[in-house]
Amino acid sequence: KLLKFASADKAYLDYLGRDAIAWPDKFKSQRDAERKFNGEEQPVVGISWYAARAYCLWLSEMQPATSNQQPAIYRLPQEIEWERAAAGRLEDGPSRKYPWPNEKGEPNEKLANYDGKVGQTTPVGRYSEGATPEGLMDMAGNVWEWQENWYNEKKEARALRGGSWVNSSDILPCAVRYDHLPVSQWFGYGFRLVAGQSLF
């Protein structure tokens, strides 16, 4: 199923190779053995875009079928979905600059994990003051989140959003984008899932 899933993307197939015995090493976090990245409720880091997508497939396959006999679909978000979830869409004005309500102002140590202040990722939800009004946690800081889409028309790098625990506050606004090759397994890269079809 994974080969079929990856078949539309030659680079994905090349990444997998034909030796399935080697796949587990390609899919696990490269930071599993590091205690500071392996605590309860911390986001997984050191994970490639390919591994994040493989996890989406695995999780979707593990779900029981719904009433229409289709398993739940888990996937990476498109950037437009991610930004809508992070910045909202206000009826009486522009979107939020940061995920938290505008009246909370600029980033600080109560709102997000950034700028290496803590020295590692933190459990999801630790910064409840920085949640979106809808209750989404860590949309700014902690880990960059892989996006489903390409960064641009060159189709060489995948998009990432949100900033990470090592980045400065300049990276935390909802509109900031970043890119990297999908094979990258940096300790600031993680992912967030979307359940079901497109929400927006």
Side-chain angles (χ1 to χ4, degrees):
K1 287 189 176 183
L2 181 59
L3 286 172
K4 183 177 179 182
F5 177 67
S7 64
D9 183 346
K10 183 181 181 307
Y12 203 158
L13 289 176
D14 291 344
Y15 177 80
L16 290 175
R18 291 290 172 179
D19 183 7
I21 293 173
W23 288 358
D25 285 336
K26 293 182 179 186
F27 293 147
K28 73 177 186 179
S29 165
Q30 295 304 300
R31 302 292 174 156
D32 272 352
E34 293 184 47
R35 177 181 249 173
K36 72 178 187 176
F37 295 118
N38 206 14
E40 291 293 322
E41 305 298 323
Q42 282 179 266
V44 173
V45 296
I47 200 89
S48 71
W49 180 85
Y50 295 120
R53 289 197 80 228
Y55 179 79
C56 292
L57 173 66
W58 173 82
L59 188 60
S60 295
E61 291 293 323
M62 293 297 104
Q63 302 306 305
T66 58
S67 58
N68 61 3
Q69 299 304 305
Q70 294 294 320
I73 297 171
Y74 292 93
R75 60 182 175 79
L76 298 177
Q78 297 284 341
E79 278 190 277
I80 192 169
E81 295 173 309
W82 187 96
E83 190 166 340
R84 170 73 190 281
R89 185 169 61 191
L90 305 180
E91 307 234 346
D92 57 349
S95 314
R96 299 183 296 268
K97 180 178 180 181
Y98 300 103
W100 48 84
N102 289 331
E103 59 268 21
K104 292 189 178 184
E106 296 297 307
N108 64 54
E109 294 176 12
K110 291 184 178 181
L111 298 172
N113 181 8
Y114 67 98
D115 206 21
K117 295 176 188 293
V118 178
Q120 65 184 55
T121 57
T122 48
V124 174
R126 176 173 170 181
Y127 295 88
S128 58
E129 287 291 313
T132 68
E134 298 79 21
L136 294 174
M137 301 289 184
D138 296 339
M139 294 295 283
N142 221 12
V143 296
W144 282 104
E145 298 175 6
W146 286 113
Q147 305 295 296
E148 179 66 24
N149 57 281
W150 294 105
Y151 182 74
N152 59 27
E153 294 176 0
K154 291 182 181 179
K155 295 187 176 181
E156 296 171 348
R158 294 290 175 171
L160 293 123
R161 300 298 288 263
S164 83
W165 63 277
V166 295
N167 294 115
S168 71
S169 61
D170 297 345
I171 304 299
L172 299 184
C174 298
V176 172
R177 305 176 69 217
Y178 191 60
D179 67 302
H180 215 290
L181 297 177
V183 297
S184 178
Q185 295 175 296
W186 188 56
F187 59 69
Y189 295 166
F191 62 99
R192 180 184 301 264
L193 301 183
V194 172
Q197 299 301 317
S198 174
L199 301 176
F200 308 109

